[in-house]
Amino acid sequence: MIADIKKRALHRTRILEGQLRGLEKMIENEDYCIDIITQSLAIQKSLGSLNRLLVENHLRTHVAEAFEEGGSARDDSIVELLKIYELSNNRG
């Protein structure tokens, strides 16, 4: 993993951890529903930010190597990315 991206991803996970603890406390305290939903949506946005970092790392490392190698490695990498794209667009 690229050092800078790893550092930023770990920072993002720590933020997420705090946000989740806050959400749990809000539910336990029976806070106003809209406030709980707002916190939940903020967590989703933070997860999206983390995913972006992970995809960036993957593109800069594994995908770049697969494209240099060519052939089935390149094709497999494309299939893999398409699966991730589909997962990210199949939200319920």
Side-chain angles (χ1 to χ4, degrees):
M1 195 165 208
I2 298 170
D4 178 60
I5 293 176
K6 180 178 181 178
K7 179 181 174 183
R8 290 165 42 209
L10 287 170
H11 177 72
R12 176 61 50 201
T13 60
R14 291 180 189 111
I15 290 170
L16 278 158
E17 185 178 29
Q19 288 176 310
L20 282 169
R21 279 193 307 270
L23 180 63
E24 181 180 24
K25 187 176 282 188
M26 292 174 81
I27 294 168
E28 286 175 353
N29 294 338
E30 298 182 16
D31 285 5
Y32 186 58
C33 295
I34 296 301
D35 293 340
I36 295 171
I37 293 167
T38 300
Q39 178 69 4
S40 176
L41 292 170
I43 291 168
Q44 289 179 29
K45 191 159 184 99
S46 291
L47 279 170
S49 187
L50 174 61
N51 286 336
R52 186 194 175 286
L53 285 172
L54 297 173
V55 168
E56 178 184 354
N57 185 78
H58 189 65
L59 289 170
R60 292 183 183 278
T61 57
H62 300 95
V63 173
E65 291 170 9
F67 269 66
E68 285 179 18
E69 186 177 326
S72 65
R74 182 186 60 226
D75 295 341
D76 292 345
S77 185
I78 291 169
V79 169
E80 195 175 63
L81 288 170
L82 287 172
K83 285 180 185 177
I84 293 299
Y85 176 79
E86 288 173 6
L87 283 172
S88 71
N89 287 310
N90 284 332
R91 293 187 177 173

